[in-house]
Amino acid sequence: MDYSYEDARRTADFLIEKGVSQPQLGIVLGTGLSGLAKEITVECELDYGLIPGFPLSTVESHAGKLVFGTICGIKVIALQGRFHHYEGYSMKQITFPVRVMKHLGIKALLLSNAAGAINKKYKKGQLMIIDDHINLLPSNPLTGENDDRNGPRFPDMSRPYDPQMNNLFADAAIKEGVTVHKGVYAVVSGPNLETRAEYRFLGRIGADVVGMSTVPEVIVCNHMKLPCAAISVLTDECDPDDLHPVDISDILRVAGEAEKDLTRIFVAVIPKLSLN
Ligand code: HPA
């Protein structure tokens, strides 16, 4: 499989046969953040292993399941668990599910992730609306021959995250009493966390937070002119002058605690999205 336009179409047709009919919104749930799926009135669920072309998530904290159903009457596909560069997948594999969801007809994509806080004003457990990003991954999902049916050779990235959706998230956060920042996400390949010198470097080049996901999917959304927005849950504080060791269990615990806030603002925003 080369993750072509036709491959994405075939997988979309497979999902339609399984009962995924006319989803309006896609949602990608990141590390430790799959609880939003509980808000879905489920019509069907499929393990990734059963879906042609979907890689299997190799990370235990990522469930690896597609859930189709409704939230507040909106038809959604939620991907519980995503694929990362550090798992050894190609960028085309990582972003294949987004191509498939576009074939299914989604009008917007919401993403969540866990990230480390570099900006000293940010505290763990808080959320950040991603306003812009810095791509430090060693490869790009758009390399190779461009298929013009997906989008242009040189997609514009002047507003990679939909400003209207970001405003809806900011408003929802105020209404729900949730602290939300707006800032820049730097993506690295991982899987190791950063050294003190790397956190210092990331802060100096303009990153507010750092993580290992989301940007490939967002590039593909921009390629296909699919509006997207993404929220980071800040799971650790990355102060190079006072850095404490963290491990994945700390990150998962903090993500789990912040999940309630994330879910509340997602549920507040979803009915307000314009999905035409
Ligand atoms: N660095 C990179 N990715 C992360 C971090 C971090 O500190 N925290 C959560 N994901």
Side-chain angles (χ1 to χ4, degrees), residues 27-40 60-63 78-82 84 110-115 125-128 185 213-214 230-235 251-264 266:
I27 304 175
V28 178
L29 298 166
T31 306
L33 298 168
S34 53
L36 178 70
K38 292 194 201 87
E39 302 297 319
I40 300 176
E60 269 170 48
S61 47
H62 289 66
L79 298 184
Q80 251 182 308
R82 63 146 68 84
H84 302 82
L110 302 179
L111 305 111
S112 65
N113 62 46
Q126 295 178 338
L127 308 181
M128 189 193 86
Y185 176 92
S213 68
T214 305
I231 307 290
S232 290
V233 173
L234 311 181
T235 52
I251 288 178
L252 290 176
R253 181 178 46 76
V254 179
E257 285 164 14
E259 190 173 51
K260 292 181 285 308
D261 286 345
L262 183 84
T263 301
R264 268 165 55 210
F266 266 58

Side-chain angles (χ1 to χ4, degrees), residues 114-117 188 192-194 199 210-212 233 235-236 238 246 251:
V188 294
N192 59 283
L193 298 174
E194 288 66 43
Y199 285 131
V210 56
M212 305 176 194
V233 173
T235 52
D236 50 310
C238 314
V246 273
I251 288 178

Side-chain angles (χ1 to χ4, degrees), residues 109-214:
L109 183 68
L110 302 179
L111 305 111
S112 65
N113 62 46
I118 292 171
N119 186 321
K120 287 190 182 150
K121 295 189 191 114
Y122 294 7
K123 300 293 165 218
K124 67 178 173 188
Q126 295 178 338
L127 308 181
M128 189 193 86
I129 298 165
I130 304 184
D131 187 38
D132 207 343
H133 69 227
I134 301 172
N135 183 8
L136 299 173
L137 292 172
S139 57
N140 186 298
L142 306 183
T143 51
E145 199 180 329
N146 187 60
D147 190 326
D148 296 335
R149 289 172 292 180
N150 284 326
R153 172 76 287 187
F154 301 107
D156 176 60
M157 291 291 277
S158 57
R159 294 283 181 282
Y161 301 83
D162 186 79
Q164 280 167 339
M165 290 205 273
N166 276 357
N167 287 340
L168 290 175
F169 274 110
D171 292 347
I174 292 169
K175 279 209 192 89
E176 299 290 328
V178 173
T179 303
V180 175
H181 305 284
K182 199 180 235 190
V184 174
Y185 176 92
V187 62
V188 294
S189 86
N192 59 283
L193 298 174
E194 288 66 43
T195 65
R196 287 164 297 161
E198 286 166 343
Y199 285 131
R200 195 172 287 117
F201 162 76
L202 290 166
R204 286 196 186 149
I205 64 170
D208 294 299
V209 305
V210 56
M212 305 176 194
S213 68
T214 305

